[in-house]
């Protein structure tokens, strides 16, 4: 059960993006994530259209928050999570550079959020380890 907790949430986001983008019959990059899910009208009269890419970024921000919370724990699963998060970031980066359908602003933002998870996870772990060393002296 602890192994399931150590799986980075951004892996699920990467899988969801790939399913959405590669299930499109249209080969052009970024077409599927530009599809509008729904739109609503504000009191001001403005119409807000929520497309798939914006929705994925919102999900990514929530995943970023929970990944940072997960990195605050000090356990073996946290180390596994950091390692898997680094691997997920590398997959994001390689896919962004190599795959045409991943060359979208949405995917770039998700790649940077994945990098932020890696950096924040290692930073939190290092500072908590430093604090543990100071207490032991």
């Amino acid at each position: 059960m602890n192994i399931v907790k150590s799986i980075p949430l951004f892996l699920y986001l990467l899988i969801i993006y790939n399913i959405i983008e590669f299930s499109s019959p249209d080969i052009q990059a970024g077409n599927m994530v530009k599809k509008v899910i729904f739109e609503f009208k504000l009191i001001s009269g403005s119409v807000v259209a929520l497309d798939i890419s914006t929705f994925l970024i919102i999900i990514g921000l929530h995943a970023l928050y929970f990944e940072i919370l997960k990195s605050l724990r000090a356990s073996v699963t946290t180390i596994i999570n950091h390692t898997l998060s680094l691997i997920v970031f590398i997959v994001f980066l390689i896919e962004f550079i190599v795959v045409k359908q991943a060359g979208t602003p949405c995917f770039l933002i998700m790649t940077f959020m994945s990098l932020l998870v890696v950096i924040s996870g290692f930073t939190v772990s290092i500072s908590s380890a430093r604090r543990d060393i100071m207490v032991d002296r």
Side-chain angles (χ1 to χ4, degrees), residues 19-61:
I19 288 172
I20 290 170
E21 194 60 43
F22 290 110
S23 68
S24 171
D26 192 4
I27 302 299
Q28 192 173 11
N31 270 354
M32 204 54 194
V33 292
K34 292 178 185 173
K35 302 261 188 229
V36 175
I37 300 172
F38 65 90
E39 52 188 32
F40 54 94
K41 198 171 195 173
L42 300 176
I43 296 172
S44 66
S46 296
V47 177
V48 177
L50 183 68
D51 59 355
I52 294 174
S53 66
T54 307
F55 187 68
L56 286 173
I57 291 170
I58 291 170
I59 291 172
L61 288 171

Side-chain angles (χ1 to χ4, degrees), residues 78-111:
T78 306
I79 296 169
I80 294 170
N81 187 352
H82 294 329
T83 306
L84 291 176
S85 292
L86 181 61
I87 292 169
V88 168
F89 166 68
I90 292 170
V91 171
F92 262 108
L93 187 62
I94 290 172
E95 189 169 342
F96 179 70
I97 294 170
V98 175
V99 178
K100 184 177 182 181
Q101 286 85 352
T104 62
C106 171
F107 200 83
L108 177 65
I109 292 169
M110 291 190 309
T111 303

Side-chain angles (χ1 to χ4, degrees), residues 7-23:
I7 295 174
L9 297 175
F10 275 89
L11 177 62
Y12 300 118
L13 193 62
L14 180 68
I15 291 169
I16 290 169
Y17 182 90
N18 284 325
I19 288 172
I20 290 170
E21 194 60 43
F22 290 110
S23 68

